[in-house]
Amino acid sequence: WCMHKAARMSLYANQEKLPKLPVPPLDASIQHYLKAVQPLLSEEEFKRTEQIARDFEKNEGPKLQELLKELNAKPDVLCHLEASWQKGYLSFRAPLPINVNPFFVLEDDPTPSRHSQIARATSLILSALSFVQSVRNETLQPDMFRTTPLCMSQYGKLFGMSRVPAKDMDNQIFSLASRHIVVTCRSQ
């Protein structure tokens, strides 16, 4: 899989070329919201929700829409959703492992030499560490959707990030110096 160095791209090579996520029109956002909540509400609740949404569209909505557009126009803002998503994520008070944290399920390893648990765990750790290294030294190739580059800004936060509990909103602490993994066996 050897590649010529000139053909390789840095992890963040496409970041400055990416368009910003556009702020959708207010009426389209309201329509999308109403379509999403309708199956969850009774007919009476939906009519009330629809009226509140229409009032919002006429009153506070246009001013808030302009503020959102102004925020999105700032050169240091990559995505108008990021700050509010971060706040919502760090303020969420339900159990995290079940409600927030991603997980994956592994298929059986097709390599016969890795059928023991220790061999499989070792293989996974080595692969994960190789991935961490490629993210940290920015040699991981940028993700693409067909020929369209995707944003890679979150990759740097995948490893070495800790969520530290606080009263109203948790904090995130990032360390490039993190060098530890946690292995549990038999719930210990």
Side-chain angles (χ1 to χ4, degrees), residues 46-124:
F46 180 73
K47 283 182 181 177
R48 185 170 186 282
T49 301
E50 190 173 33
Q51 183 58 50
I52 292 169
R54 297 296 170 216
D55 289 346
F56 175 81
E57 186 175 16
K58 291 176 194 164
N59 299 311
E60 307 95 341
K63 180 170 174 56
L64 294 172
Q65 181 79 356
E66 285 309 309
L67 290 172
L68 195 54
K69 286 180 181 178
E70 287 173 20
L71 173 68
N72 202 42
K74 292 182 178 181
D76 60 327
V77 173
L78 297 175
C79 174
H80 63 277
L81 298 174
E82 190 169 9
S84 59
W85 187 91
Q86 266 307 82
K87 183 178 179 184
Y89 171 72
L90 293 172
S91 301
F92 192 60
R93 294 297 178 231
L96 295 175
I98 296 168
N99 294 293
V100 176
N101 292 353
F103 69 93
F104 55 94
V105 177
L106 300 172
E107 297 281 330
D108 288 339
D109 194 319
T111 310
S113 64
R114 289 195 293 250
H115 281 304
S116 77
Q117 209 172 20
I118 192 76
R120 182 77 186 275
T122 303
S123 175
L124 288 169

Side-chain angles (χ1 to χ4, degrees), residues 15-67:
Q15 289 304 111
E16 290 186 15
K17 300 174 202 165
L18 296 173
K20 284 191 175 197
L21 184 65
V23 175
L26 180 60
D27 61 333
S29 294
I30 289 173
Q31 280 306 116
H32 185 75
Y33 168 73
L34 291 172
K35 184 178 177 183
V37 300
Q38 187 171 16
L40 306 172
L41 303 173
S42 68
E43 190 175 325
E44 182 180 312
E45 290 170 325
F46 180 73
K47 283 182 181 177
R48 185 170 186 282
T49 301
E50 190 173 33
Q51 183 58 50
I52 292 169
R54 297 296 170 216
D55 289 346
F56 175 81
E57 186 175 16
K58 291 176 194 164
N59 299 311
E60 307 95 341
K63 180 170 174 56
L64 294 172
Q65 181 79 356
E66 285 309 309
L67 290 172

